[in-house]
Amino acid sequence: MSNSIFALEASGVDVAYHGNPVLRDLNVQVRRGEIYALLGGNGAGKSTTLNTLLGFARPDAGSVRVCGIDVAADVLGARAQLAYVPENVALYEHLDARENIEYFLRLANTASTDDQIADALRAVRLDESAWKRRLGGYSKGMRQKVAIALAVARAVPVLLLDEPTSGLDPQATSEFNALLQTMRANGAAIFMVTHDLLGAAEVADRIGFLDRGHIGHESAASGADRFDVRDLYQRYAGAREAA
Ligand SMILES: Nc1ncnc2c1ncn2[C@@H]1O[C@H](COP(=O)(O)OP(=O)(O)O)[C@@H](O)[C@H]1O
Ligand SMILES: [Mg+2]
């Protein structure tokens, strides 16, 4: 452990696939109690960034730390601090919500009581009538809630999300945003990658633009108007043209 103040930190990260650079000198820091949105067009390297934070993609240069733990030195220790919600949440379709959480907690060697699981499902506001239904019949928004309930039950400080609002209807999107804000208030560090500029502007504290493999520009929310969406849009369009 280092005494880094950041829950998530990528410093000077280069990642290439078969000699093609995808990330070039990527620098990102996320604090606890902060929501960071990384924006970029298709193929910009957003999922690669998440894979690098998770230790699935190995940087050729630079380093990644989760709660001060160097991912290259202790990948399991780093992963124990985070929850990852992929674009399409993969859970057991034939198990219900409670059974899924119980099963994945057991895989993570975490003991849990029925009450703890119920608290987690309540925290993500999954409708109680759905708790005992198989996930096979769940919508994308409901699956996400189960995945986030698992993060709540594990009490991990860092949450990574890949395109969390793509395919959600407006109602599910606003519920999802409210849930992220609650988790932020409880001290989570939240890092999401998305191509949804308006969604990011609504919920994030900081927005970074992935441009030719690194963060070309960062904007922070400030004041009553939060972000200047027109300014963000121009930067986003610029980054997409350059990518
Ligand atoms: N496992 C992989 N092997 C080879 N190339 C990959 C792999 N994953 C991603 N890429 C390439 O890296 C680039 C960035 O991909 P990705 O990170 O998935 O972008 P995004 O999530 O922003 O759409 C793309 O050109 C993609 O084809
Ligand atoms: Mg992607």
Side-chain angles (χ1 to χ4, degrees), residues 110-133:
T110 307
S112 61
T113 64
D114 284 354
D115 280 352
Q116 284 166 332
I117 294 176
D119 284 347
L121 289 171
R122 233 171 260 127
V124 300
R125 300 185 194 98
L126 181 71
D127 199 63
E128 215 162 320
S129 64
W131 290 11
K132 291 197 167 160
R133 285 188 357 231

Side-chain angles (χ1 to χ4, degrees), residues 16-18 20-23 39-51 87 162-163 193 210:
Y17 289 118
H18 314 297
N20 299 317
V22 177
L23 302 180
L39 276 160
N42 279 335
K46 300 183 300 296
S47 295
T48 301
T49 300
L50 291 177
N51 283 330
E87 186 170 358
D162 197 350
E163 300 285 357
V193 305
L210 197 53

Side-chain angles (χ1 to χ4, degrees), residues 13 18 27 38 41 50 68 72 76 78 93 96-97 103 119 142 146 162 181 210 212 219 233 239:
V13 166
H18 314 297
N27 294 287
L38 182 66
L50 291 177
L76 295 181
E93 300 287 293
D96 68 28
Y103 177 78
D119 284 347
M142 291 164 77
V146 177
D162 197 350
Q181 280 156 345
L210 197 53
R212 283 164 287 196
S219 300
Y233 185 77

Side-chain angles (χ1 to χ4, degrees), residues 215-234:
I215 311 271
H217 176 82
E218 241 176 44
S219 300
S222 61
D225 292 337
R226 290 185 52 77
F227 291 102
D228 178 344
V229 171
R230 187 176 302 180
D231 174 62
L232 287 181
Y233 185 77
Q234 274 166 5

Side-chain angles (χ1 to χ4, degrees), residues 3-20:
N3 53 10
S4 163
I5 59 163
F6 298 113
L8 204 58
E9 187 170 23
S11 308
V13 166
D14 292 352
V15 173
Y17 289 118
H18 314 297
N20 299 317

Side-chain angles (χ1 to χ4, degrees), residues 156-225:
V156 288
V158 181
L159 191 59
L160 304 180
L161 302 148
D162 197 350
E163 300 285 357
T165 55
S166 75
L168 292 190
D169 63 32
Q171 165 76 19
T173 301
S174 76
E175 275 181 36
F176 175 80
N177 286 343
L179 174 55
L180 288 194
Q181 280 156 345
T182 303
M183 295 192 71
R184 167 177 59 194
N186 290 335
I190 300 171
F191 181 81
M192 59 191 267
V193 305
T194 180
H195 61 262
D196 174 13
L197 174 75
L198 292 178
E202 213 175 295
V203 75
D205 300 299
R206 274 191 300 144
I207 295 180
F209 295 87
L210 197 53
D211 179 1
R212 283 164 287 196
H214 67 271
I215 311 271
H217 176 82
E218 241 176 44
S219 300
S222 61
D225 292 337

